[in-house]
Amino acid sequence: MTLMESFNNKLRGVVKIPELRSRIIFTLLMFLVARVGTFIPAPGIDIDRLSAMTAQNDLLGFINMFSGGAFQRISIFALGIVPYINASIVFSLLAVIIPKIDEIQKEGESGRNKINQWTRYVTIFIAIMQGIGVCVWLTSAGLVIEPGFRFMLVTITILTAGTVFLMWVGEQISVNGIGNGVSLLIFLNIISRGPSSIVQTIQLMKGSKFIIPVLIAVAIAAILSVSVIILFQLGQRKIPVHYVGKGFGVRGGVAQNSYIPLKLNTSGVMPVIFASVMMMIPSLLIRSLPTTFPYRDYLVLFFDQKHPVYMILYALIIIFFSFFYTAIMFDPERVADNLKQGGGTIPGIRPGEETVEYLEGVVTRITWGGAIFLAAIAILPMAIFTALGLPVFFGGTGIIIVVGVALDTVQQIDAHLVMKEYKGFL
């Protein structure tokens, strides 16, 4: 059977499962709603000048990528889903600092619902603050047709309402669609900017005798990056487990071997998303400072995407969130306790504390590899584009997010297919 025939069989399998088919259709409809909103601009803004500024500024272009082009039009979805991500980061950090929040998270469904509700409230607050910042920046840049209190009130209300609506869309996709709604919205925004980013890069290089070799080199690098990311995202470190006793698929108490699958990149794409959002905040704050502020020009230079200081800080934050998110996702003590209660042991490792230490050591080594890999993929394209004298219209950050979210979504589809006795995509 050829690859295309195999793919067609999977598609027929998707069509034959009513629940999966309805989930995919629902997700696509929500995608349509999210894209339509990016083309509805807020009133009272010089859109043409703003679009020109966005095309010439790497930071604004990066923000525009996360909003799917909504920022350059200051549409109703100009803030995107970023305030919700910021709120999620806040509660993730608070859960480590404040034990009470961590206890609430462990209460099960009711605890998670309570945290989600608080996250929504914080999202609204952050959206209002960011809306105020956007209005102040638009006014100071001379992009507002009739500046004043009325403009501020209307624009802040529109931008906040747009973020709240996108937050609802993301939650609806997670519940009634397929995949993680927030991640899929970011995925949608990034891929929607892909064609225009490629066109901008080609236009910038018009007249250069190296345009064809450079474009070929970039295409090859992108293909290799995608291939390596897929291999790394699907890679596992299998820890062997030895079970003894009945009730574990054994006969007559005979021992059976199994394994604990540890993903090489347990945290997925979340560290890159978190780090990208975190690096936007100081860049925007610094650029909003008065020109007379001491050392402003140096700070603006250091937090430019092309500067080595920015790249180093970006890589360090990715590494930090890789460990942070892995610690949330994987609890060695809980795994060791479950093994002990189930009669499972890791060969050569005693149950209890020794198992916990062994698992912590393995996860730490894996996380170092995954964190460094994510950081390298995220910053290398920026360094290459800078060396070639090209603006960073697209790069490792977008590739990691797109590939990672696509793989997670395909695996969820695969799980539905397996449940209905269809062979999965992967």
Side-chain angles (χ1 to χ4, degrees), residues 215-288:
L215 290 178
I216 292 174
V218 170
I220 293 174
I223 294 172
L224 289 176
S225 298
V226 170
S227 302
V228 172
I229 291 171
I230 291 174
L231 290 174
F232 199 85
Q233 292 284 73
L234 298 178
Q236 292 181 344
R237 165 72 158 86
K238 297 180 179 180
I239 299 178
V241 178
H242 189 70
Y243 285 104
V244 178
K246 296 181 179 180
F248 298 97
V250 297
R251 296 181 179 179
V254 179
Q256 185 182 48
N257 290 325
S258 183
Y259 61 86
I260 302 173
L262 296 179
K263 294 183 66 175
L264 297 181
N265 182 24
T266 306
S267 55
V269 300
M270 296 311 296
V272 178
I273 295 176
F274 284 2
S276 300
V277 173
M278 291 291 287
M279 289 302 292
M280 286 183 194
I281 298 173
S283 298
L284 293 172
L285 291 177
I286 291 168
R287 291 172 187 271
S288 65

Side-chain angles (χ1 to χ4, degrees), residues 62 66 81-93 119 180 182-183 186 267-282 310 313-314 316-326 328-329 374 397 401:
F62 190 68
F66 266 83
I81 201 71
V82 171
Y84 183 79
I85 297 173
N86 287 332
S88 300
I89 294 173
V90 168
F91 276 98
S92 296
L93 294 173
T119 303
N180 182 286
V182 174
S183 298
I186 298 174
S267 55
V269 300
M270 296 311 296
V272 178
I273 295 176
F274 284 2
S276 300
V277 173
M278 291 291 287
M279 289 302 292
M280 286 183 194
I281 298 173
Y310 177 94
L313 287 175
Y314 185 38
L316 291 176
I317 294 176
I318 290 176
I319 292 173
F320 166 77
F321 276 114
S322 294
F323 278 93
F324 179 80
Y325 208 77
T326 299
I328 295 175
M329 297 290 292
L374 288 178
T397 299
I401 294 173

